[in-house]
Amino acid sequence: MIIDVHGHYTTAPAEQQRFRVDQLAALDDPTLPPPAQPKISDDEIRESIELNQLRILRERGGDLMLFSPKASGMEHHVSDQATATEWARASNDLVHRVTELFPDAFAPVAQLPQTPDGELSPVIDELRRCVDELGFVGCNLNPDPSAGYWTTPPMTDEYWYPLYEAMVELEVPAMIHVSTSCNPNFHTLGAHYLNADTSVFMQLVLADLFVKFPTLTFVIPHGGGAVPYHWGRYRGLAERLGRPDPAELLRNVFFDTCVYHQPGIDLLARVIPVANILFASEMIGAVRGIDPETGFNYDDTKRYVEAAAHLGAADRAAIYEGNARRVYPRLDAALKAKGR
Amino acid sequence: MIIDVHGHYTTAPAEQQRFRVDQLAALDDPTLPPPAQPKISDDEIRESIELNQLRILRERGGDLMLFSPKASGMEHHVSDQATATEWARASNDLVHRVTELFPDAFAPVAQLPQTPDGELSPVIDELRRCVDELGFVGCNLNPDPSAGYWTTPPMTDEYWYPLYEAMVELEVPAMIHVSTSCNPNFHTLGAHYLNADTSVFMQLVLADLFVKFPTLTFVIPHGGGAVPYHWGRYRGLAERLGRPDPAELLRNVFFDTCVYHQPGIDLLARVIPVANILFASEMIGAVRGIDPETGFNYDDTKRYVEAAAHLGAADRAAIYEGNARRVYPRLDAALKAKGR
């Protein structure tokens, strides 16, 4: 079984974005009526999935994708909590409908109604609603709700603890995933995403978060940003700073395979233990085209995993399935309940 | 000949830092007297170099190091221009003395008196002084003088053009190098440095800076941040965004070898053309210890270059010497004038 842990609903029907546009307009101009809830039929959802993520998943031999709202669309920098909460609910409800229509192919992962330095109780409420009522198996957690200005405390700060307590209780991991960048220095897809991955890993090196929360689990996407490429730097820095070896973090931290060329996946597989690598593609995401050098899609990461010299059959099985079932216990339980 | 293009005077005598402390105190409290200029003897400089960078350079078989003031000490976020100018002058003058005492082993690279969104004319003045009067061969250019808050325009913005005009005229490349981070989200050495490398490369992908300045040259240190590891991502993003292939940037952009483990250098050598890789170690810098897995210093990057399977003897000669002489024409001219 091949599980892709990193997919977003980037192909949602336009009506969903119409709702968001109206919502932001009403926020700007309180004389406008509140936005009408998005009206999307099951057929519209089916079409948006069958022609896109489901088609590609099947073409590439995948079985299941963890599916969350579009990451760049979370827009946590819009600081009004009611707006953030309503937008997260609408986004999660739509993703939930996808997973109800295609229960064998998609499992839901939540957008959280974060705001810059905002209260975490609405965030926790939405996480609980998604997990307890809708069967979500994970969440995306944004380390920079300010969208490129990084005004929120590091992820090791006590500010985040109430959310971590809920995650631990609910047994759901978080994928560390920023949303759009409003800072012109950081292109959302070409800088901000990777910088966030890199920055959060170093925050974890510096603190004892997993001593406090031994069962808290983070997935760092996009192959861990710059981290595996600079693994020697992190080992050396940790030693110089009197911190444990970064390998100690690998009880709680996992990297996905969203690295879009063979040398990158080869490095990941060489440097990071197999038990800490989760198969993922992020299709249909940042990089959608066909690589003229290979004739295949850049984001067809299964080809790179298949070709990685450092991996044997058992390694691939762990990367494709076993690790994901361990990291996402609610996914594992749901699959087992269906005899999968 | 082996040229290390990335070294900082991290071992300057304490008197230099005393000057800085006094300078900042006088800035805080204008009733204090102006700081006394640092008084450092030639012998103190000799000792600080002979026991440290020169010793290690020789032990590792290196011949020459490009040498600039300590990067994290540039502190461009201190926004008073007079303070920035005086600090850059004092720092550059000290580096110049190192290169006068050890002219065969060190060549000087300038700290620029940048401030957040500040005027560039004092920056250009100091660059001209260093190059025209003191024989400097390059400079360090900080894309984020705000120290982790990224309030300055991207490096492709017209804001920077006057400096680029001076660099082109003087034939000096810039190493893109941030200073300390004041943002608790970004550890200076474990996140901010790498993020800056990554972010600036993506800025270059998005704009036509080198159409405007065809002979402008940037060195992106720390192995290019996350860029080579994600080279497929950049190729795919560029195509999606209607931008030229990132390989087009390699007429003007070079990466150093400050990547502190074998798999990282192997990836760099596999992905980036040999002509765009410059040998560097940043010793004595961020990562100073001995890797218990190899028994050698993490930053002994020559060992990784020697062991990189993708490199032959001619490739190593280019990485060690030929590329540096091409990228730093003033270094090449100075060496030729000495018959080297």
Side-chain angles (χ1 to χ4, degrees):
Chain A
M1 183 173 182
I2 295 183
I3 301 169
D4 183 330
V5 303
H6 191 173
H8 303 289
Y9 197 5
T10 50
T11 59
E15 167 71 358
Q16 186 76 358
Q17 192 57 28
R18 190 279 310 155
F19 169 75
R20 178 61 170 169
V21 169
D22 286 357
Q23 189 192 36
L24 295 180
L27 186 64
D28 267 359
D29 178 358
T31 68
L32 290 173
Q37 285 297 312
K39 288 207 178 89
I40 298 172
S41 71
D42 284 355
D43 279 349
E44 286 174 294
I45 294 176
R46 280 195 196 94
E47 188 180 346
S48 75
I49 293 291
E50 283 173 347
L51 297 178
N52 293 302
Q53 288 87 352
L54 186 61
R55 172 181 62 80
I56 297 171
L57 188 71
R58 294 300 183 231
E59 281 174 8
R60 297 181 185 173
D63 295 287
L64 180 81
M65 179 175 245
L66 299 197
F67 207 57
S68 61
K70 187 167 108 171
S72 63
M74 298 189 295
E75 299 182 327
H76 294 125
H77 62 283
V78 178
S79 60
D80 180 66
Q81 184 64 59
T83 300
T85 298
E86 192 175 39
W87 177 228
R89 286 184 71 106
S91 301
N92 291 329
D93 286 348
L94 190 64
V95 158
H96 178 244
R97 288 178 65 196
V98 171
T99 64
E100 292 284 293
L101 289 169
F102 302 98
D104 293 337
F106 296 95
V109 168
Q111 168 179 335
L112 299 176
Q114 297 177 249
T115 56
D117 300 306
E119 290 291 324
L120 287 181
S121 58
V123 172
I124 295 165
D125 289 347
E126 177 63 6
L127 179 64
R128 286 192 186 281
R129 183 184 80 92
C130 287
V131 174
D132 287 338
E133 299 176 22
L134 305 177
F136 280 53
V137 302
C139 62
N140 292 329
L141 180 55
N142 185 345
D144 174 34
S146 70
Y149 293 96
W150 293 88
T151 58
T152 299
M155 303 223 67
T156 50
D157 190 272
E158 291 186 6
Y159 166 77
W160 300 97
Y161 283 9
L163 176 61
Y164 297 157
E165 284 161 11
M167 283 171 54
V168 165
E169 178 202 326
L170 295 168
E171 293 192 284
V172 289
M175 179 173 280
I176 304 299
H177 206 309
V178 286
S179 187
T180 193
S181 162
C182 296
N183 187 324
N185 281 287
F186 303 136
H187 186 269
T188 299
L189 308 174
H192 191 43
Y193 282 15
L194 303 178
N195 291 351
D197 305 335
T198 306
S199 301
V200 170
F201 186 81
M202 188 63 196
Q203 293 171 13
L204 299 173
V205 167
L206 294 171
D208 293 317
L209 184 64
F210 301 120
V211 174
K212 173 84 179 170
F213 296 101
T215 60
L216 183 67
T217 307
F218 288 155
V219 178
I220 302 193
H222 321 110
V227 171
Y229 176 48
H230 287 283
W231 194 247
R233 184 178 188 89
Y234 288 97
R235 292 178 57 237
L237 273 176
E239 186 194 313
R240 181 178 171 200
L241 298 167
R243 298 294 310 159
D245 190 280
E248 299 285 311
L249 295 172
L250 300 181
R251 281 192 288 268
N252 303 79
V253 175
F254 299 80
F255 300 103
D256 81 8
T257 63
C258 291
V259 179
Y260 298 141
H261 62 156
Q262 189 66 50
I265 293 291
D266 286 351
L267 179 132
L268 179 69
R270 186 174 166 194
V271 171
I272 302 299
V274 165
N276 292 81
I277 301 174
L278 303 180
F279 176 69
S281 70
E282 203 170 356
M283 68 88 180
I284 300 170
V287 179
R288 302 173 177 201
I290 290 171
D291 184 343
E293 287 185 6
T294 66
F296 299 108
N297 285 81
Y298 289 102
D299 67 2
D300 188 356
T301 52
K302 180 159 161 275
R303 290 183 184 275
Y304 312 133
V305 173
E306 290 293 320
H310 288 264
L311 301 177
D315 298 330
R316 286 193 188 89
I319 290 170
Y320 287 145
E321 178 180 359
N323 296 342
R325 294 178 81 129
R326 204 173 70 250
V327 170
Y328 293 86
R330 283 179 175 268
L331 173 68
D332 185 50
L335 289 171
K336 281 185 176 144
K338 293 183 195 173
R340 296 173 84 186
Chain B
M1 184 172 181
I2 296 183
I3 301 170
D4 183 332
V5 302
H6 191 173
H8 302 290
Y9 197 5
T10 51
T11 59
E15 166 72 357
Q16 185 77 356
Q17 191 56 29
R18 190 277 311 153
F19 169 75
R20 179 61 171 170
V21 169
D22 287 357
Q23 189 192 36
L24 295 180
L27 186 64
D28 267 359
D29 179 356
T31 68
L32 290 174
Q37 286 297 313
K39 288 208 178 90
I40 298 173
S41 71
D42 284 355
D43 278 350
E44 286 173 295
I45 293 176
R46 279 196 197 94
E47 188 180 347
S48 74
I49 293 291
E50 283 172 347
L51 297 179
N52 293 301
Q53 288 88 353
L54 186 62
R55 172 182 62 80
I56 297 171
L57 188 72
R58 295 296 184 235
E59 281 174 5
R60 297 182 186 173
D63 295 287
L64 179 80
M65 179 176 245
L66 298 197
F67 207 56
S68 60
K70 187 167 109 171
S72 64
M74 297 189 295
E75 298 182 327
H76 295 126
H77 62 283
V78 179
S79 60
D80 179 66
Q81 184 64 59
T83 301
T85 298
E86 192 176 38
W87 178 228
R89 286 184 71 107
S91 301
N92 290 328
D93 286 348
L94 190 64
V95 159
H96 178 244
R97 289 178 64 196
V98 171
T99 64
E100 293 283 294
L101 289 169
F102 302 98
D104 293 337
F106 296 95
V109 168
Q111 168 179 335
L112 300 176
Q114 297 177 248
T115 56
D117 301 306
E119 290 291 324
L120 288 181
S121 57
V123 173
I124 295 166
D125 288 348
E126 177 62 7
L127 179 64
R128 286 192 186 281
R129 184 184 80 92
C130 287
V131 174
D132 288 338
E133 299 175 23
L134 304 177
F136 280 53
V137 302
C139 62
N140 292 328
L141 180 55
N142 184 345
D144 174 33
S146 70
Y149 293 96
W150 292 88
T151 58
T152 299
M155 303 223 68
T156 50
D157 190 274
E158 291 186 5
Y159 166 78
W160 300 98
Y161 284 9
L163 176 62
Y164 297 158
E165 284 161 11
M167 284 171 55
V168 165
E169 178 203 325
L170 295 168
E171 292 191 286
V172 289
M175 179 173 278
I176 304 299
H177 207 309
V178 286
S179 186
T180 193
S181 162
C182 296
N183 188 325
N185 282 287
F186 304 136
H187 186 269
T188 299
L189 307 174
H192 190 44
Y193 282 14
L194 303 178
N195 291 351
D197 305 335
T198 306
S199 302
V200 169
F201 187 82
M202 188 62 196
Q203 293 172 12
L204 299 174
V205 168
L206 294 173
D208 293 317
L209 184 65
F210 300 120
V211 174
K212 173 84 179 171
F213 296 101
T215 60
L216 183 67
T217 307
F218 288 155
V219 178
I220 303 192
H222 322 110
V227 172
Y229 176 47
H230 287 283
W231 193 247
R233 185 179 188 88
Y234 288 97
R235 291 179 58 237
L237 273 177
E239 186 194 313
R240 182 178 171 201
L241 298 168
R243 297 295 310 159
D245 189 280
E248 298 286 312
L249 295 172
L250 299 181
R251 281 191 289 268
N252 303 79
V253 175
F254 299 81
F255 300 102
D256 81 7
T257 63
C258 291
V259 179
Y260 298 139
H261 63 156
Q262 190 67 49
I265 292 292
D266 286 351
L267 178 130
L268 179 69
R270 185 175 166 194
V271 171
I272 302 298
V274 164
N276 292 82
I277 302 174
L278 302 179
F279 176 69
S281 70
E282 205 170 357
M283 69 88 180
I284 299 171
V287 179
R288 303 174 176 199
I290 290 171
D291 184 343
E293 288 184 6
T294 66
F296 300 107
N297 285 83
Y298 289 102
D299 66 2
D300 188 356
T301 51
K302 180 158 162 276
R303 291 183 184 274
Y304 312 133
V305 173
E306 291 292 321
H310 288 265
L311 301 176
D315 299 330
R316 287 194 187 88
I319 290 170
Y320 287 145
E321 177 180 1
N323 296 343
R325 293 178 82 129
R326 204 173 70 250
V327 170
Y328 293 85
R330 284 179 175 267
L331 173 68
D332 185 50
L335 289 171
K336 280 185 177 146
K338 293 184 195 173
R340 296 173 84 185

